[in-house]
């Protein structure tokens, strides 16, 4: 391929696990209630993976839906990027499992880890491959099985998370006002202890308790998320104006209704132009934004020609945004 290419979003898909886990089901193991969870988070229920479901199995189904949505097959793909913090295995990469299941050619396939911002990092990497002319069709998947990484005795964190997968197909286009218009990515490793998920190779320092499950400093994460979301919205509005467009819809990381409300109050962004589904799915980390994006498109809330703002923030600490014209 030659010439000036951009990355158009031509297909989306998502897959949610079969088990619905309501707030009331936590009452048997921790001191909480449906009202306590709803008023503090906005979450009513979430999906947990069945024993047979994995990050790869959910990702495969989301990818198949995204391919079908744009009438492509695995054979049309040139690259697969999978964002996850809960892979099936340390190796092979979950992306390689997707490559096999989708019957792709021997295309490059790799995982990317940036926690809840992982999907936006993945979209940015895919965009570079397309803009340089290396790839024409790229699959980007965010998939998580967080239910296997949380401490169900910690009422401050276990109530927040759920499982799921979302996928998009990015395709090379020469249309000047379509596709990914801008990307902004950040990280602050100085505050990495605010959110941590251990792995098989995680070591314990002398005098410290071993980390067995996801650990999170909720108070600090809340302040960080509101601050960064406000900054990203302001910056995106300025970018959109320079591009001669406006933000039709905000699709944020689905983490906590209070965080979203605080950011909207500070920025003045209209609540009726925000896609929220955290009440049904909770925080699905890297899968959060693509699931919400897919639902917004399927429900007709985001249509072809609309410019949407994708925003995420999470462990690392990482945060980022992308302005995309559908």
């Amino acid at each position: 391929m030659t010439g000036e290419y951009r990355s158009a979003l031509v297909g989306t898909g998502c897959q949610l696990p079969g088990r619905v886990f309501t707030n009331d089901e936590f009452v048997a193991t921790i001191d909480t209630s449906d009202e306590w969870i709803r008023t503090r988070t906005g979450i009513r229920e979430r999906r947990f993976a069945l024993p047979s479901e994995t990050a790869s199995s959910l990702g495969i189904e989301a990818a198949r839906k995204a391919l079908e949505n744009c009438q492509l097959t695995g054979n049309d793909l040139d690259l697969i990027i999978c964002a996850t913090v809960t892979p099936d295995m340390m190796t092979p990469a979950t992306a390689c499992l997707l490559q096999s299941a989708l019957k792709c050619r021997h295309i490059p396939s790799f995982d990317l880890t940036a926690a809840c911002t992982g999907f936006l990092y993945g979209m940015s990497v895919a965009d570079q491959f397309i803009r340089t002319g290396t790839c024409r069709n790229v699959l980007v998947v965010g998939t998580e099985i967080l239910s296997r990484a949380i401490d169900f005795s910690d009422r401050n964190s276990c109530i927040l998370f759920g499982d799921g997968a979302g996928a998009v197909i990015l395709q090379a286009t020469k249309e000047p006002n379509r596709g990914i218009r801008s990307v902004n990515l950040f990280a602050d490793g100085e505050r990495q202890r605010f959110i941590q998920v251990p792995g098989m190779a995680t070591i314990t320092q002398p005098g410290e308790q071993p980390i067995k499950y996801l650990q999170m400093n909720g108070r600090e994460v809340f302040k960080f998320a509101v601050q960064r979301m406000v900054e990203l919205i302001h910056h995106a509005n300025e970018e959109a104006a320079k591009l001669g467009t406006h933000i039709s819809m905000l699709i944020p990381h689905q983490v906590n209704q209070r965080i979203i409300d605080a950011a909207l109050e500070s920025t003045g962004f209209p609540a009726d132009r925000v896609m929220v589904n955290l009440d049904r799915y909770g925080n699905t980390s890297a899968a959060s934004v693509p699931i919400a994006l897919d639902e917004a498109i399927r429900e007709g809330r985001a249509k072809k020609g609309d410019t949407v703002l994708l925003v995420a923030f999470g462990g690392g600490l990482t945060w980022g945004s992308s302005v995309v014209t559908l």
Side-chain angles (χ1 to χ4, degrees), residues 20 27 29 37 57 83 85 93 97 119-120 129 159 202 209 212 231:
V20 177
V27 175
T29 56
I37 297 171
S57 71
V85 296
L97 304 181
F119 177 75
L120 293 187
F129 275 90
I159 62 173
T202 303
Q209 289 290 109
K212 295 183 179 180
E231 293 172 354

Side-chain angles (χ1 to χ4, degrees), residues 187-199:
D188 179 8
E190 290 296 319
R191 293 192 281 178
Q192 49 87 18
R193 285 185 174 271
F194 288 170
I195 309 175
Q196 293 184 323
V197 180

Side-chain angles (χ1 to χ4, degrees), residues 30-93:
I30 56 176
D31 180 18
T32 191
S33 67
D34 173 62
E35 181 184 10
W36 190 90
I37 297 171
R38 280 189 294 102
T39 56
R40 287 161 177 77
T41 69
I43 301 169
R44 293 186 292 107
E45 60 188 36
R46 71 286 297 144
R47 300 293 186 90
F48 284 162
L50 299 171
S52 60
E53 292 176 314
T54 63
S56 67
S57 71
L58 295 179
I60 289 164
E61 292 307 312
R64 284 175 174 156
K65 292 175 182 177
L67 286 166
E68 182 180 354
N69 187 252
C70 56
Q71 299 181 322
L72 296 178
T73 69
N75 196 53
D76 296 310
L77 295 175
D78 303 305
L79 171 67
I80 298 175
I81 301 172
C82 181
T84 184
V85 296
T86 54
D88 291 17
M89 292 173 281
M90 292 178 67
T91 190

Side-chain angles (χ1 to χ4, degrees), residues 25 35 88-89 97 100 114 117 154 162-163 166 186 189 196 284 286 293 315 325:
E25 293 181 72
E35 181 184 10
D88 291 17
M89 292 173 281
L97 304 181
S100 173
T117 321
D154 179 5
D163 304 334
F186 307 91
Q196 293 184 323
T284 55
L293 173 62
T325 300

Side-chain angles (χ1 to χ4, degrees), residues 248-250 264 268-276 301:
S248 302
M249 171 165 282
L250 167 63
L264 297 184
F269 196 93
D272 62 352
R273 286 163 46 197
V274 182
M275 179 64 192
V276 177
R301 296 190 61 191

Side-chain angles (χ1 to χ4, degrees), residues 21-265:
F21 195 95
T22 66
N23 291 341
D24 287 329
E25 293 181 72
F26 282 112
V27 175
T29 56
I30 56 176
D31 180 18
T32 191
S33 67
D34 173 62
E35 181 184 10
W36 190 90
I37 297 171
R38 280 189 294 102
T39 56
R40 287 161 177 77
T41 69
I43 301 169
R44 293 186 292 107
E45 60 188 36
R46 71 286 297 144
R47 300 293 186 90
F48 284 162
L50 299 171
S52 60
E53 292 176 314
T54 63
S56 67
S57 71
L58 295 179
I60 289 164
E61 292 307 312
R64 284 175 174 156
K65 292 175 182 177
L67 286 166
E68 182 180 354
N69 187 252
C70 56
Q71 299 181 322
L72 296 178
T73 69
N75 196 53
D76 296 310
L77 295 175
D78 303 305
L79 171 67
I80 298 175
I81 301 172
C82 181
T84 184
V85 296
T86 54
D88 291 17
M89 292 173 281
M90 292 178 67
T91 190
T94 303
C96 291
L97 304 181
L98 270 63
Q99 181 265 345
S100 173
L102 297 173
K103 302 187 185 305
C104 303
R105 294 169 287 118
H106 292 164
I107 58 173
S109 305
F110 59 87
D111 287 0
L112 181 154
T113 301
C116 303
T117 321
F119 177 75
L120 293 187
Y121 270 66
M123 282 188 64
S124 178
V125 173
D127 185 44
Q128 308 309 311
F129 275 90
I130 289 174
R131 285 179 179 269
T132 60
T134 306
C135 296
R136 179 172 179 78
N137 297 307
V138 180
L139 167 65
V140 184
V141 176
T143 182
E144 303 286 11
I145 304 288
L146 288 162
S147 61
R148 294 173 188 157
I150 56 178
D151 181 358
F152 279 90
S153 68
D154 179 5
R155 76 167 187 166
N156 292 316
S157 65
C158 71
I159 62 173
L160 300 173
F161 298 98
D163 304 334
V168 301
I169 306 294
L170 295 177
Q171 185 175 78
T173 181
K174 289 190 176 181
E175 295 182 49
N177 299 319
R178 186 184 179 197
I180 296 177
R181 312 291 295 276
S182 72
V183 179
N184 294 281
L185 302 174
F186 307 91
D188 179 8
E190 290 296 319
R191 293 192 281 178
Q192 49 87 18
R193 285 185 174 271
F194 288 170
I195 309 175
Q196 293 184 323
V197 180
M200 290 181 65
T202 303
I203 63 172
T204 302
Q205 298 296 334
E208 290 187 350
Q209 289 290 109
I211 301 174
K212 295 183 179 180
Y213 301 102
L214 180 148
Q215 303 287 313
M216 184 175 70
N217 184 325
R219 187 180 300 276
E220 292 298 330
V221 170
F222 186 97
K223 291 189 295 184
F224 154 76
V226 172
Q227 177 188 357
R228 297 310 185 191
M229 189 170 171
V230 168
E231 293 172 354
L232 292 169
I233 292 172
H234 280 312
H235 185 65
N237 278 327
E238 294 172 2
E239 284 188 316
K242 291 177 182 178
L243 292 167
T245 185
H246 71 282
I247 306 300
S248 302
M249 171 165 282
L250 167 63
I251 303 179
H253 171 42
Q254 307 291 310
V255 56
N256 186 309
Q257 187 65 52
R258 283 185 171 182
I259 290 174
I260 295 173
D261 290 344
L264 297 184
E265 182 178 357

